[in-house]
């Protein structure tokens, strides 16, 4: 797939070369040459742009993956330098966004319709960004630009893909090949599966191109520094190798593929049907069925180009595959070059003698001559058709051709269209052709079309890969057919624009996926019916799936661009439907021979791809006019923007109305309420009307995501905080410390925006994605949301002018073992939050609290001020929200230790809070669920 875009800023450097020594006889000249080479090497090492950060974040919701790659480069040289960003992505993925930040300029990618040109190819002499075929199953995305001297650049790439189930596992592959050792390298994968996760494995890094069948050999442990946290429906995998760990893996920075394999729970035979708003998806993967008999013909290219290792590896693989055939199967073997060599003129049963004779026949195959693909296919199809026609087959069976070649048709019929037509006419839709193309000379488009038009699959094997192991891996996927002639039916009055619903075969370990749009969102249930053939019987499965009003629970996707123009809510099932629909339209376009039909399919695919921001052969990505991101100089290290001079960046481009600017000079000394969660974490709640402050602690676990403010249904605001762990200080009473590593804010009104804050960066996704470093002061705003970053100090978030949060940044130059860079969360203004607001802090906003003396001795106090003569150790009873909680007076420091406050401390936070600790655990960083089970409190 050829893709588009690219940008070169400035002129590329012309690297001069040293003259070669003319004489190698003189020792002094040899020494001089070595010195020159050393100098040249040192110059290259010194001036090579430095990659300071390489991070990948993936979020998988119901098998659909959103991935964002972030790469930061620094030009340390005294002159401008060209740098290339290179990223391998899965071949099945669609790129959805690409952004470059060079200095203070932001170049945002925009998906547009591709103009029809010769061959649909776009060439640009200076643009260096392309996407070409890399390793098996991947494409390589490249972008080059020139970084000014002593300046920085950031690359941001987002893509989406639907994970395919193979051999009983979903596999998510992330390329970790930054081309150099990186000071900060992270890979984070979040998996959310409603039906439950039954298994999850992180494989060793894979850098070999001999991927084979995917079976792990040797050390099967996850890569070093990998952390896995998992519950029934959610899993988080974190990979953060140090520079030393990276160097032990690969000193050149090409670490390899980070691979996660997992599977989900399947309780219903009819599959898992998920419905969300106007879309549904049906996952069908039955198990515990008897296998269907196979009628299979193995077609092996024995032309002269197969000489050597390729033919030997393929023969060895066929030996293993023959031993794997079942007694009820039937098979034959064809070798073809310029002659067609059929082992038997009929299919034979699987017996020890027949397997032995077939192996002997394969062993004596020798490479010679050209390649008669058409003749070989016709011979294989004839064998299968004759067998089915002349045998009274009681059991239903599946007819397959496994076809392996390394070249183009050179003998007999060589015209591609004629070969395709001849094959389609001969198979009559009753035979599936699975093709494997080896090397760079193979006509892969022909093989791809053969498989598409004849219910098969295709694989490409590069020259340096092991063809035998690839063949075995391919065969493993189709070795056990369980069903044939599968049909999915949904009520046409309720469902429209469903993706493909007819499937010729279902193989064990795979999965059939159908997605569609619902016509009537008020319906109570969706009727699903599946019919298929299995061996001697006809299978009919029926069910009615409840369709209940659901809250959108896909907010985990804040790291990816999911929003189309005019949409109100994000829906991962809609993204999945769009993905499948575009894929099927592209496949139909590839198969069609009618120019009129091809044009109609092209227009449909193009329109949906533009709407969904998918980069396809019919769309292109253009970099919009650069947006200026002005840095704010501030002697206090905080934002000091004033009035009209405030820099407000519209995230939708310069033509739309930006968010409101600050109306009065901004005081760099932040003054916010005491209500906060900071430190270990320590919680403080201020009741200003009662002149009362209450504090409590929460002892969570590393990786827990705490609900701080939950008002999604009313004001549309949700705030969650993710904990990170650290050892406890020596002689402390705690076993460990926890801090907030990430604060995430979801704003749903007037339009949805996502904000993710860490001590190092702020990611704002409000239609377009923007990444702001925390070491630079800047203010950005859009659609009622304003984010102000004060360098290495704090991040202020203002929503609609009525809600304001301040996030303090705590950084350590030389941290002790028990210290971690972390965040503190403070509520500056809560006017815009509703009375139904909840969360660890949110439930106390706009509430009254009263103190009364303990019955044992302290004098009675009026509501409002703290107890008279309060001092260290004073005790009382706090009444708030129907709870009566024993509290003790103490002092606590907030605002990074700058201010000391008096507060009433609740030793047992469980008595103070609604519900249980589990009620405050979010499933993912942008989880906006607000349901609290108000049972008996325990264990906070």
């Amino acid at each position: 797939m050829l893709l588009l875009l690219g940008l070169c800023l400035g002129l590329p450097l012309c690297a001069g070369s040293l003259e070669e020594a003319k004489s190698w006889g003189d020792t002094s000249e040899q020494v001089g040459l070595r010195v020159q080479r050393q100098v040249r090497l040192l110059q290259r090492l010194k001036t090579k742009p430095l990659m300071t950060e390489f991070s990948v974040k993936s979020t998988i919701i119901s098998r659909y993956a959103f991935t964002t790659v972030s790469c930061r480069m620094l030009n340390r040289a005294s002159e401008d330098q060209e740098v290339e960003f290179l990223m391998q992505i899965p071949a099945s993925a669609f790129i959805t966004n690409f952004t470059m930040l060079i200095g203070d300029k932001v170049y945002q990618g925009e998906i547009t319709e591709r103009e029809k040109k010769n061959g649909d190819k776009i060439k640009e002499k200076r643009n260096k960004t392309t996407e070409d075929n890399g390793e098996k199953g991947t494409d390589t995305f490249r972008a080059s630009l020139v970084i000014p001297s002593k300046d920085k650049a950031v690359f941001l790439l987002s893509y989406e893909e639907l994970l395919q189930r193979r051999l009983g596992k979903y596999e998510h592959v992330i390329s970790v090949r930054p081309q150099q050792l990186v000071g900060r390298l992270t890979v984070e994968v979040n998996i959310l599966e409603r039906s439950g996760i039954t298994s999850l494995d992180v494989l060793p890094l894979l850098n070999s191109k001999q991927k084979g069948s995917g079976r792990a050999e040797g050390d099967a442990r996850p890569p070093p520094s990998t952390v896995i946290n998992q519950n029934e429906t959610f899993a988080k995998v974190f990979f953060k190798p140090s520079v030393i760990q990276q160097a032990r893996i690969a000193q050149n920075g090409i670490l390899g593929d980070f691979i996660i394999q997992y599977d989900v729970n399947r309780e219903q035979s009819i599959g898992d049907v998920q419905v969300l708003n106007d879309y549904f998806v049906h996952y069908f993967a039955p198990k515990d069925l008897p296998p269907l008999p196979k009628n299979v013909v193995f077609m092996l290219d024995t032309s002269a180009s197969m000489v050597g290792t390729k033919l030997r590896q393929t023969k060895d693989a066929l030996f293993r595959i023959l031993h794997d055939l079942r007694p009820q199967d039937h098979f034959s073997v064809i070798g073809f070059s310029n002659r067609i060599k059929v082992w038997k003129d009929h299919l034979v049963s699987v017996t020890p003698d027949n397997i032995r004779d077939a192996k002997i026949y394969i062993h004596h195959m020798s490479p010679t001559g050209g390649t008669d693909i058409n003749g070989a296919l016709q011979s294989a199809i004839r064998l299968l058709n004759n067998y089915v026609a002349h045998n009274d087959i009681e059991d239903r069976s599946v007819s397959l051709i496994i076809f392996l070649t390394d070249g183009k048709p050179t003998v007999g019929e060589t015209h591609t269209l004629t070969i395709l037509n001849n094959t389609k006419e001969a198979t009559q839709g009753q035979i599936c052709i699975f093709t494997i193309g080896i090397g760079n000379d193979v006509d892969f488009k022909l093989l791809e079309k053969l498989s598409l038009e004849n219910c098969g699959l295709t694989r490409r094997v590069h020259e340096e890969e092991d063809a035998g192991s690839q063949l075995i891996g391919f065969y493993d996927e189709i070795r056990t057919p369980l069903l044939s002639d599968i049909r999915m039916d949904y009520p046409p009055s309720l469902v429209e624009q469903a993706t493909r619903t007819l499937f010729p075969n279902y193989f064990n370990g795979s999965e059939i996926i159908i997605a569609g749009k619902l016509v009537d969102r008020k319906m109570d249930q969706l009727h699903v019916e599946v019919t298929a053939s299995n061996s001697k019987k006809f299978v009919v499965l029926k069910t009615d799936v409840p369709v209940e009003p659901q809250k959108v629970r896909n907010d985990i996707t804040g790291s990816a661009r999911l929003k189309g123009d005019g949409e109100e809510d994000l829906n991962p099932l809609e993204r999945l439907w769009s993905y499948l629909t575009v894929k099927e339209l592209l496949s139909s376009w590839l198969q069609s021979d009618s120019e009129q039909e091809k044009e109609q399919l092209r227009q449909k695919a193009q329109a949906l791809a533009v709407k969904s921001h998918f980069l396809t052969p019919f769309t292109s990505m253009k970099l919009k006019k650069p947006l200026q991101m002005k840095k704010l100089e501030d002697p206090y290290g905080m934002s000091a923007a004033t009035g009209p001079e405030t820099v407000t960046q519209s995230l939708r481009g310069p033509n739309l109305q930006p968010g409101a600017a600050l109306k009065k000079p901004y005081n760099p000394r932040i003054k916010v309420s005491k209500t906060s969660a900071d430190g270990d974490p320590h919680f403080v709640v201020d009741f200003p009307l009662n002149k009362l402050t209450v504090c409590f602690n929460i002892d969570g676990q590393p990786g827990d995501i705490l609900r701080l403010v939950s008002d999604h249904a009313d004001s549309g605001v949700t705030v969650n905080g993710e904990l990170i762990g650290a050892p406890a200080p020596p002689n402390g009473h705690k076993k460990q410390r926890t801090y907030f590593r990430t604060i995430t804010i979801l704003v749903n009104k007037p339009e949805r925006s996502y904000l993710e804050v860490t001590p190092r960066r702020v990611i704002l996704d409000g239609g377009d994605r923007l990444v702001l470093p925390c070491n630079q002061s800047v203010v950005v705003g859009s659609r009622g949301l304003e984010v102000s970053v004060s360098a290495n100090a704090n991040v202020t978030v203002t929503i609609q002018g009525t809600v304001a949060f301040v996030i303090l940044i705590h950084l350590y130059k030389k941290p002790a073992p028990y210290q971690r860079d972390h965040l503190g969360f403070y509520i500056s203004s809560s006017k815009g939050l509703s009375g139904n607001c909840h969360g660890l802090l949110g439930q106390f906003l706009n509430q009254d609290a009263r103190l009364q003396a303990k019955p044992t001795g302290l004098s009675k106090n009026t509501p409002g001020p703290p107890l008279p003569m309060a001092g260290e150790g004073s005790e009382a009873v706090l009444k708030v929200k129907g709870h009566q909680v024993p509290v003790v007076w103490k002092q606590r420091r907030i605002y990074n230790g700058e201010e000391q406050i008096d507060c009433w401390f609740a030793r047992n936070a469980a008595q103070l809070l609604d519900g249980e600790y589990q009620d405050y655990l979010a499933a993912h960083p942008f989880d906006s669920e607000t349901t609290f089970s108000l049972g008996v409190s325990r264990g906070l």
Side-chain angles (χ1 to χ4, degrees):
M1 179 169 57
L2 177 66
L3 300 181
L4 71 281
L5 85 282
L7 180 69
C8 281
L9 301 178
L11 297 176
L13 293 178
C14 296
S17 60
L18 297 175
E19 291 185 354
E20 295 291 333
K22 296 181 180 179
S23 172
W24 290 85
D26 184 74
T27 305
S28 62
E29 291 188 10
Q30 294 182 33
V31 173
L33 180 63
R34 287 198 297 269
V35 170
Q36 286 178 327
R37 286 181 172 176
Q38 291 172 358
V39 170
R40 185 170 59 183
L41 176 62
L42 289 174
Q43 287 175 341
R44 285 205 308 267
L45 292 175
K46 180 180 179 181
T47 59
K48 181 180 179 181
L50 175 68
M51 186 179 296
T52 58
E53 180 179 350
F54 179 87
S55 64
V56 183
K57 185 170 184 179
S58 280
T59 298
I60 303 171
I61 304 177
S62 297
R63 293 77 145 172
Y64 194 73
F66 306 87
T67 303
T68 298
V69 184
S70 173
C71 175
R72 295 177 178 274
M73 303 293 295
L74 171 64
N75 179 13
R76 300 168 293 174
S78 56
E79 64 274 347
D80 297 353
Q81 280 206 323
E82 185 176 14
V83 64
E84 182 180 55
F85 168 68
L86 184 148
M87 182 68 188
Q88 288 185 1
I89 67 173
S92 61
F94 285 140
I95 291 175
T96 55
N97 189 27
F98 178 65
T99 301
M100 295 190 299
L101 290 79
I102 304 103
D104 59 355
K105 294 182 179 179
V106 180
Y107 295 83
Q108 178 72 50
E110 181 181 20
I111 303 292
T112 61
E113 295 182 357
R114 168 171 288 186
E115 297 179 3
K116 292 187 65 177
K117 296 188 178 181
N118 295 334
D120 264 341
K121 294 181 180 179
I122 295 178
K123 294 183 179 180
E124 167 59 61
K125 291 182 179 180
R126 294 185 60 189
N127 290 2
K128 299 294 184 180
T129 303
T130 61
E131 184 171 326
D132 52 30
N133 290 324
E135 293 190 4
K136 168 184 171 289
T138 66
D139 291 325
T140 302
F141 179 88
R142 289 185 173 90
S144 64
L145 58 84
V146 172
I147 307 178
S149 171
K150 307 298 182 182
D151 214 334
K152 301 175 183 179
V154 180
F155 299 93
L156 299 170
L157 176 69
S158 298
Y159 59 89
E160 300 175 15
E161 63 172 322
L162 177 62
L163 303 186
Q164 299 295 319
R165 188 170 184 256
R166 295 191 176 100
L167 303 177
K169 300 281 187 180
Y170 301 100
E171 186 172 273
H172 185 50
V173 180
I174 295 174
S175 177
V176 187
R177 294 173 171 85
Q179 311 294 318
Q180 59 178 279
L181 301 180
V182 184
R184 178 177 173 82
L185 190 154
T186 59
V187 176
E188 180 181 337
V189 180
N190 297 287
I191 304 172
L192 181 63
E193 293 287 352
R194 189 191 71 171
S195 55
I197 301 172
T198 57
S199 65
L200 187 145
D201 298 298
V202 180
L203 305 187
L205 288 168
L206 182 61
N207 202 22
S208 169
K209 294 190 176 183
Q210 298 177 347
K211 297 188 179 181
S213 61
R215 296 168 180 161
E217 298 180 0
D219 186 1
R221 292 177 297 179
S225 80
T226 301
V227 178
I228 304 173
N229 293 313
Q230 180 182 352
N231 58 29
E232 183 179 351
T233 59
F234 180 74
K236 181 173 183 176
V237 180
F238 198 70
F239 173 57
K240 186 179 179 181
S242 64
V243 174
I244 295 176
Q245 290 171 324
Q246 295 173 47
R248 289 173 180 169
I249 299 170
Q251 294 189 1
N252 61 0
I254 303 178
L255 276 64
D257 290 328
F258 187 80
I259 303 174
I260 296 175
Q261 292 181 342
Y262 76 96
D263 201 15
V264 300
N265 183 40
R266 290 178 175 81
E267 295 181 352
Q268 298 185 6
S269 58
I270 200 169
D272 178 21
V273 182
Q274 299 184 17
V275 181
L276 184 60
N277 296 339
D278 296 333
Y279 294 85
F280 79 93
V281 62
H282 184 184
Y283 302 98
F284 182 66
K287 55 183 180 179
D288 301 327
L289 296 172
L292 288 168
K294 295 192 299 291
N295 311 316
V296 56
V297 175
F298 299 98
M299 286 178 52
L300 177 59
D301 186 345
T302 59
S303 61
S305 58
M306 286 287 290
V307 68
T309 304
K310 284 188 288 188
L311 187 58
R312 177 180 54 78
Q313 290 175 345
T314 305
K315 287 181 177 182
D316 292 341
L318 281 177
F319 293 159
R320 290 180 57 182
I321 290 173
L322 289 175
H323 282 290
D324 192 62
L325 293 173
R326 295 183 175 86
Q328 65 266 36
D329 297 336
H330 292 80
F331 75 102
S332 188
V333 180
I334 293 178
F336 68 96
S337 54
N338 55 329
R339 294 174 53 199
I340 312 301
K341 304 168 187 175
V342 181
W343 170 52
K344 301 282 188 182
D345 60 358
H346 60 279
L347 298 189
V348 300
S349 58
V350 177
T351 65
D353 289 343
N354 285 337
I355 295 296
R356 182 199 62 212
D357 293 345
K359 290 176 65 176
I360 293 173
Y361 178 79
I362 294 171
H363 175 73
H364 286 101
M365 286 181 176
S366 58
T368 181
T371 310
D372 186 359
I373 290 178
N374 183 72
L377 282 169
Q378 293 301 311
S379 297
I381 296 169
R382 195 177 304 115
L383 281 176
L384 291 167
N385 284 337
N386 288 342
Y387 175 78
V388 174
H390 294 92
N391 290 270
D392 185 15
I393 305 176
E394 182 180 357
D395 291 348
R396 293 179 174 86
S397 60
V398 174
S399 295
L400 312 173
I401 293 175
I402 298 179
F403 169 33
L404 186 146
T405 183
D406 73 336
K408 302 178 177 67
T410 60
V411 178
E413 180 58 62
T414 59
H415 191 258
T416 297
L417 186 58
T418 304
I419 295 174
L420 291 169
N421 289 336
N422 291 344
T423 304
K424 188 189 299 185
E425 183 178 350
T427 60
Q428 294 294 312
Q430 302 301 310
I431 298 172
C432 295
I433 301 177
F434 296 85
T435 60
I436 300 177
I438 305 176
N440 300 323
D441 296 329
V442 69
D443 188 347
F444 190 72
K445 289 186 177 180
L446 170 61
L447 300 186
E448 186 178 33
K449 241 188 167 183
L450 277 171
S451 296
L452 281 174
E453 294 181 353
N454 296 279
C455 63
L457 300 171
T458 188
R459 291 286 187 274
R460 186 167 195 164
V461 182
H462 289 267
E463 291 284 358
E464 62 273 20
E465 293 178 324
D466 185 345
S469 62
Q470 293 281 5
L471 177 57
I472 293 172
F474 195 24
Y475 175 77
D476 283 346
E477 295 182 30
I478 59 176
R479 65 189 292 265
T480 310
L482 297 182
L483 293 173
S484 63
D485 303 322
I486 304 108
R487 178 187 180 95
M488 307 290 189
D489 285 308
Y490 312 94
S493 60
L494 300 180
V495 174
E496 64 179 359
Q497 299 184 38
T499 57
R500 178 184 172 194
T501 56
L502 299 176
F503 303 86
N505 301 302
Y506 166 73
F507 297 96
N508 188 40
S510 64
E511 185 174 58
I512 292 174
I513 304 178
I514 306 96
K517 296 177 67 174
L518 301 178
V519 177
D520 183 8
R521 67 166 62 184
K522 296 180 181 179
M523 62 184 181
D524 297 328
Q525 59 187 16
L526 173 66
H527 182 73
V528 179
E529 185 170 322
V530 179
T531 58
S533 299
N534 168 245
S535 190
K536 298 181 180 181
K537 60 183 180 180
F538 195 66
V539 179
V540 179
L541 303 172
K542 299 180 181 180
T543 191
D544 290 318
V545 180
V547 179
E548 301 174 356
Q550 299 188 38
K551 297 180 180 179
V552 177
R553 297 202 48 192
N554 55 296
D555 303 330
I556 192 172
T557 56
S559 61
R561 176 178 180 173
L562 301 180
K563 199 161 186 178
D565 295 336
E567 293 176 320
E568 296 180 356
D569 285 317
L570 307 175
N571 188 340
L573 300 193
E574 179 181 1
R575 299 297 295 176
L576 193 155
W577 171 83
S578 300
Y579 175 96
L580 276 180
T581 302
V582 171
K583 284 287 185 183
E584 292 182 3
L585 288 170
L586 292 175
S587 177
S588 298
W589 178 87
L590 188 63
Q591 296 179 55
S592 177
D593 296 325
S594 167
E595 289 301 322
Q596 182 178 357
E597 183 184 30
K598 288 176 78 76
E599 178 60 20
Q600 292 175 349
L601 292 168
R602 186 192 70 82
Q603 291 179 5
K604 288 182 180 180
Q606 186 180 68
L608 183 55
V610 170
K611 179 182 178 182
S612 305
H613 305 286
F614 289 154
L615 193 54
T616 71
F618 302 139
T619 54
S620 62
M621 183 178 287
K622 298 178 181 179
L623 294 180
K624 291 190 267 185
K625 184 178 178 181
L627 305 174
Q628 197 77 13
M629 187 172 65
K630 185 177 179 181
K631 300 177 183 178
L632 304 180
E633 301 297 333
D634 180 12
Y636 295 97
M638 300 180 182
S639 176
T642 59
E645 297 176 359
T646 299
V647 179
T648 304
Q649 174 64 65
S650 170
L651 298 183
R652 284 196 176 273
N655 296 327
L656 297 184
Q657 187 68 27
L662 298 175
K663 296 181 179 180
K664 57 183 179 180
Y666 185 80
N667 184 358
R669 302 297 297 171
I670 302 173
K671 295 298 181 183
V672 298
S673 77
K674 302 171 186 176
T675 302
S676 60
D678 204 346
D680 193 8
H682 302 311
F683 288 77
V684 176
V685 179
D686 191 32
F687 298 93
L689 296 178
N690 307 100
K691 298 181 180 179
L692 184 67
T693 303
V694 177
C695 49
F696 58 93
N697 295 342
I698 295 291
D699 293 327
Q701 295 298 317
D704 285 355
I705 303 173
L706 304 183
R707 306 180 193 276
L708 302 178
V709 177
S710 300
D711 199 28
H712 185 76
D714 293 297
S715 67
V717 176
T718 300
V719 183
N720 296 328
E722 183 176 1
L723 297 177
I724 186 176
N731 303 321
H733 65 283
K734 290 187 174 182
K735 294 183 180 180
Q736 66 175 355
R737 283 187 166 191
T738 52
Y739 304 94
F740 284 118
R741 174 177 64 184
T742 306
I743 299 293
T744 51
I745 301 176
L746 169 66
V747 181
N748 198 42
K749 297 177 182 179
E751 296 183 69
R752 182 162 297 201
S753 298
Y754 299 89
L755 187 69
E756 178 181 297
V757 183
T758 70
R760 301 295 177 185
R761 66 180 183 182
V762 178
I763 301 177
L764 177 57
D765 195 342
D768 288 339
R769 181 180 168 89
L770 191 64
V771 179
L772 308 172
C774 287
N775 60 358
Q776 298 177 5
S777 295
V778 65
V779 179
V780 298
S782 174
R783 301 179 298 182
L785 175 66
E786 183 179 279
V787 179
S788 171
V789 180
S790 298
N792 294 328
N794 61 74
V795 178
T796 303
V797 181
T798 306
I799 305 166
Q800 299 287 68
T802 59
V803 178
F805 304 127
V806 176
I807 301 169
L808 295 190
I809 302 172
H810 301 288
L811 302 174
Y812 298 93
K813 291 184 178 180
K814 296 180 179 180
Y818 53 87
Q819 292 175 325
R820 295 288 186 272
D821 291 346
H822 65 280
L823 303 171
F825 175 74
Y826 292 77
I827 298 178
S828 176
S829 173
S830 60
K831 293 179 182 178
L833 297 176
S834 74
N836 298 321
C837 184
H838 215 282
L840 288 170
L841 291 175
Q843 64 186 294
F844 299 109
L845 301 176
N846 305 315
Q847 299 291 332
D848 285 328
R850 300 171 182 270
L851 277 180
Q852 69 178 26
K854 294 189 68 173
T856 53
L858 291 177
S859 60
K860 199 168 183 179
N861 293 273
T862 57
L867 292 172
M869 305 299 294
E872 192 68 37
S874 299
E875 297 183 0
V877 175
L878 174 72
K879 289 186 175 183
V880 59
K881 297 185 64 180
H883 301 287
Q884 295 193 27
V885 187
V887 292
V888 60
W889 184 89
K890 68 180 303 183
Q891 292 184 323
R892 174 165 284 180
R893 289 190 175 273
I894 59 174
Y895 302 156
N896 210 11
E898 295 181 6
E899 184 170 337
Q900 179 172 289
I901 62 169
D902 298 335
C903 68
W904 291 94
F905 177 67
R907 290 193 178 98
N908 187 353
Q911 298 178 356
L912 181 65
L913 303 172
D914 294 336
E916 305 175 0
Y917 178 70
Q918 287 77 11
D919 296 322
Y920 297 92
L921 293 182
H924 51 79
F926 290 96
D927 186 4
S928 60
E929 188 65 43
T930 57
T931 301
F932 289 84
S933 57
L934 304 179
V936 179
S937 301
R938 56 186 171 93
L940 268 166

